[in-house]
Amino acid sequence: MPRSPILSRRTLLGAMAAAGAAPMLPDAAAQASPLTRPIPSTGEAMPVVGLGSWITFNVGDDLEARDECAEVMRAFFAEGGRMIDSSPMYGSSQPVIGYGLARLGHPPGLFAADKVWTSGDGPGQIEQSRRLWGVPQFDLLQVHNLLAWETHLDTLLAMKAEGRLRYVGITTSEGRRHGEIEQVMRSRPIDFVQITYNILDREVEERILPLAQDRGIAVIVNRPFRQGELIDDFGGEALPGWAGEIGCGSWAQLLLKFVVSHPAVTCAIPATTRADHVRENLGAARGPMPDAAMRRRMAADIEAL
């Protein structure tokens, strides 16, 4: 059967720019608020697409690059985004976020998510991170990759009890230490778990995601594009014929909709250096979502490519 014309992330954006078009979904969907999911421990609504900062915001003191990051953040908030996630591990990402927030006048919708990542002074690192962001306090702090997690969780839970922190979480990435992640999820009163999940890396569907649902733990998804690898791999392929059924105009939206349509997932945090890409990503939080049958079809068709 002949392929339909190729419609990749790059060609779609180029065609839209040439035509002076803005939306990537039908007008009614583009105007709608992004889909939200409740944070299980409180019921607070969270848009299902957030913004990561690993690598993309690590631009140092380059003022032009910092301004570009600020424009990504401006577009993110304009499209209804809330959660921005960072870590002390991410080079200059924290001060770059702080620069962008100040430039934007500290948008009131921000959900500030960061991490503690040290074998030493956790409270000191947290305070330094807060100053770099320029926020009164974080909404969510997570123990990054479970480093010294017993000590840091005690610190974070005490901060929450004192009203200095709203949510507590743990993180992992790329399939590491899932057994230990499960142990913490079962034994400690955490609000969030952050894991890697995408249309090809689906190990967490077996135990982590069901456990999160059972325990009432919110799920943040990192690496939904495998750090851009999936966009590069599939971007030259024609979109499957069923993509339009779920309102996807690009591979980025298709890949994100697979992730955020899982009922256990609260928010995915793709990272980007471009404002047009962040608008495209937020488009995946609008329009129809795949049901269980469509998700199975999506996974099977992508695996066959």
Side-chain angles (χ1 to χ4, degrees):
M1 180 180 296
R3 288 183 181 270
S4 57
I6 292 175
L7 184 60
S8 71
R9 182 181 183 115
R10 296 180 182 89
T11 56
L12 174 72
L13 292 170
M16 288 171 48
M24 300 186 205
L25 296 173
D27 289 344
Q31 296 300 318
S33 297
L35 174 70
T36 63
R37 288 265 172 75
I39 297 171
S41 61
T42 63
E44 179 181 357
M46 181 60 59
V48 296
V49 175
L51 180 63
S53 60
W54 166 237
I55 297 179
T56 54
F57 277 29
N58 183 20
V59 299
D61 295 325
D62 184 321
L63 186 58
E64 182 178 353
R66 283 187 169 217
D67 286 342
E68 290 172 355
C69 291
E71 290 309 304
V72 167
M73 294 167 65
R74 185 190 305 277
F76 175 72
F77 289 118
E79 292 294 317
R82 289 193 63 205
M83 181 187 289
I84 298 180
D85 176 88
S86 194
S87 171
M89 180 187 178
Y90 298 171
S92 62
S93 295
Q94 292 175 317
V96 169
I97 290 170
Y99 174 88
L101 292 175
R103 186 176 176 87
L104 299 177
H106 293 275
L110 170 68
F111 185 99
D114 210 286
K115 306 177 183 78
V116 55
W117 183 68
T118 178
S119 57
D121 181 9
Q125 185 183 74
I126 291 166
E127 176 57 20
Q128 180 183 30
S129 297
R130 186 198 65 78
R131 290 196 302 267
L132 291 172
W133 278 63
V135 294
Q137 66 178 46
F138 287 110
D139 295 288
L140 165 65
L141 283 170
Q142 306 152 90
V143 182
H144 195 160
N145 287 337
L146 296 180
L147 179 62
W149 66 263
E150 297 97 332
T151 298
H152 294 321
L153 272 187
D154 288 344
T155 297
L156 299 186
L157 291 168
M159 290 177 65
K160 180 181 176 182
E162 294 163 4
R164 296 188 292 123
L165 178 65
R166 300 175 62 215
Y167 298 104
V168 173
I170 56 173
T171 84
T172 188
S173 62
E174 302 180 68
R176 293 182 292 234
R177 300 176 73 176
H178 280 179
E180 200 166 358
I181 286 285
E182 286 187 51
Q183 175 191 343
V184 179
M185 291 172 69
R186 293 182 186 279
S187 63
R188 303 300 293 269
I190 60 173
D191 302 289
F192 279 83
V193 62
Q194 183 177 146
I195 44 86
T196 293
Y197 180 48
N198 56 62
I199 202 164
L200 293 184
D201 299 313
R202 305 198 304 275
E203 178 187 346
V204 294
E205 291 179 347
E206 297 177 11
R207 297 174 64 89
I208 300 292
L209 295 181
L211 180 58
Q213 289 180 289
D214 289 345
R215 299 284 296 176
I217 298 171
V219 175
I220 301 172
V221 170
N222 58 47
R223 296 175 61 88
F225 301 143
R226 276 190 183 173
Q227 203 172 311
E229 177 185 331
L230 298 182
I231 300 290
D232 292 339
D233 287 348
F234 300 131
E237 299 284 341
L239 279 174
W242 42 258
E245 298 177 29
I246 53 172
C248 292
S250 69
W251 277 102
Q253 292 178 349
L254 184 154
L255 294 167
L256 276 175
K257 283 209 174 191
F258 178 83
V259 169
V260 302
S261 61
H262 193 290
V265 170
T266 308
C267 182
I269 49 170
T272 181
T273 59
R274 290 173 47 173
D276 56 348
H277 284 178
V278 85
R279 294 187 191 100
E280 181 185 9
N281 292 343
L282 264 294
R286 296 181 170 90
M289 287 288 163
D291 59 15
M294 175 61 82
R295 286 173 50 78
R296 290 191 294 270
R297 181 180 181 184
M298 293 170 77
D301 285 1
I302 297 307
E303 286 181 344
L305 286 178

